[in-house]
Amino acid sequence: MTDPVTWMDAYVRAWHTNEPADIGALFTDDAAYFTEPYARPWRGRDAIVRGWLEREDEGGPSAFEYEPVAVEGETAVVKGVTTYPDRVFSNLWVLRLDGEGRCAEFTEYWMEQPA
């Protein structure tokens, strides 16, 4: 399995650049990206890039800290905290990575922390 920390480092870079090539390089051709556990996923690399860019952050200062909490075979669970100047989110992500360093399935669980 690809190291989830290496993949997450690339994810954070793509999150900051919002460059389509950076985003696309994270995912397999037929990947599924669930923005919420029960939402209809973005399917395929092109749809993921398009969906990502439609929801991109507006810029400004932000930070993301994360750590893998479980890794089993191709699946990793990553716990993270996303901090913006006016709000903070707790994240739990489930990743299914392939042996080439790309994500085949990504599911986000997130909630805003109380002020």
Side-chain angles (χ1 to χ4, degrees):
M1 173 191 190
T2 300
D3 174 23
V5 172
T6 301
W7 190 87
M8 286 300 304
D9 288 345
Y11 183 97
V12 171
R13 275 192 306 280
W15 179 55
H16 285 294
T17 68
N18 287 311
E19 289 294 327
D22 292 344
I23 300 163
L26 294 167
F27 299 96
T28 62
D29 290 336
D30 59 348
Y33 189 122
F34 293 82
T35 58
E36 299 175 35
Y38 303 106
R40 175 173 286 158
W42 300 329
R43 291 205 179 267
R45 184 179 292 135
D46 292 340
I48 291 169
V49 170
R50 191 170 42 257
W52 179 307
L53 293 174
E54 287 172 0
R55 293 177 43 171
E56 77 179 81
D57 286 343
E58 295 180 9
S62 57
F64 184 69
E65 297 177 24
Y66 62 89
E67 65 177 319
V69 294
V71 178
E72 178 69 32
E74 297 177 339
T75 304
V77 178
V78 176
K79 178 181 173 184
V81 176
T82 309
T83 304
Y84 298 94
D86 59 343
R87 49 197 187 153
V88 177
F89 292 88
S90 293
N91 307 282
L92 193 64
W93 294 347
V94 180
L95 319 170
R96 188 169 51 83
L97 302 173
D98 70 5
E100 309 257 327
R102 292 192 178 132
C103 189
E105 186 173 296
F106 180 91
T107 305
E108 293 184 87
Y109 297 79
W110 55 270
M111 51 187 358
E112 188 169 358
Q113 293 181 8

